[in-house]
Amino acid sequence: MSMSNASESNLLLLLFQNVAWEGIGDAGGLLPSVAAGSFYVRLHTSDPGEAGNGSTNEVAYTGYSPVAVPRSALGFAVAADTVSNAATVQFGECTAGTATATHFSVCLGSGIGAAILYRGTLDNARNISSGITPLFNPGAFTGVVN
């Protein structure tokens, strides 16, 4: 079984931009949240896997913390079956330690063990050391629904 292109797009719009999915259920459809909130982007040293959480293989340098991205068109771009970050995502400057980020995740929270909504591989691994401020331009975190 596979979702239609329209369903893929509507699901991504509901999840990442808090847009109602009309035509499902009552007259309002699947309604958006009253307060959209944010998802949290995290960096990982290897794939956290389908059974992992936001803390699995998460980078651990001094100055790092997950970054809140708003569930709106300001935070996420949706085009057909693809979602990506709509704005620059900047992590804290590394003040001690090192890490090599190879993967990212979009999580439901910023705390230990937060559930992963989506995960992916970075186009290029990022070596992080003292004085480096990891910054990812729009479109760097991209996912496709199939």
Side-chain angles (χ1 to χ4, degrees):
M1 182 182 307
S2 176
M3 293 181 82
S4 70
N5 292 341
S7 292
E8 292 169 351
S9 181
N10 283 325
L11 178 61
L12 291 174
L13 287 168
L14 176 66
L15 288 173
F16 289 94
Q17 292 186 358
N18 200 37
V19 174
W21 185 349
E22 296 178 6
I24 294 182
D26 64 21
L30 286 177
L31 300 177
S33 301
V34 173
S38 297
F39 287 139
Y40 292 84
V41 177
R42 301 167 94 123
L43 296 175
H44 302 270
T45 58
S46 63
D47 186 359
E50 288 188 13
N53 60 55
S55 303
T56 306
N57 306 324
E58 189 172 22
V59 301
Y61 65 82
T62 303
Y64 169 81
S65 64
V67 175
V69 177
R71 287 183 58 226
S72 71
L74 296 175
F76 294 97
V78 173
D81 65 349
T82 303
V83 61
S84 62
N85 56 307
T88 299
V89 176
Q90 182 173 329
F91 291 87
E93 178 182 357
C94 177
T95 58
T98 62
T100 300
T102 60
H103 290 74
F104 71 92
S105 64
V106 177
C107 295
L108 302 182
S110 62
I112 294 172
I116 293 175
L117 179 65
Y118 187 82
R119 69 187 208 290
T121 304
L122 296 173
D123 286 342
N124 296 302
R126 298 283 180 99
N127 294 315
I128 304 165
S129 58
S130 188
I132 301 293
T133 302
L135 179 140
F136 296 85
N137 291 321
F141 303 122
T142 299
V144 177
V145 174
N146 301 17

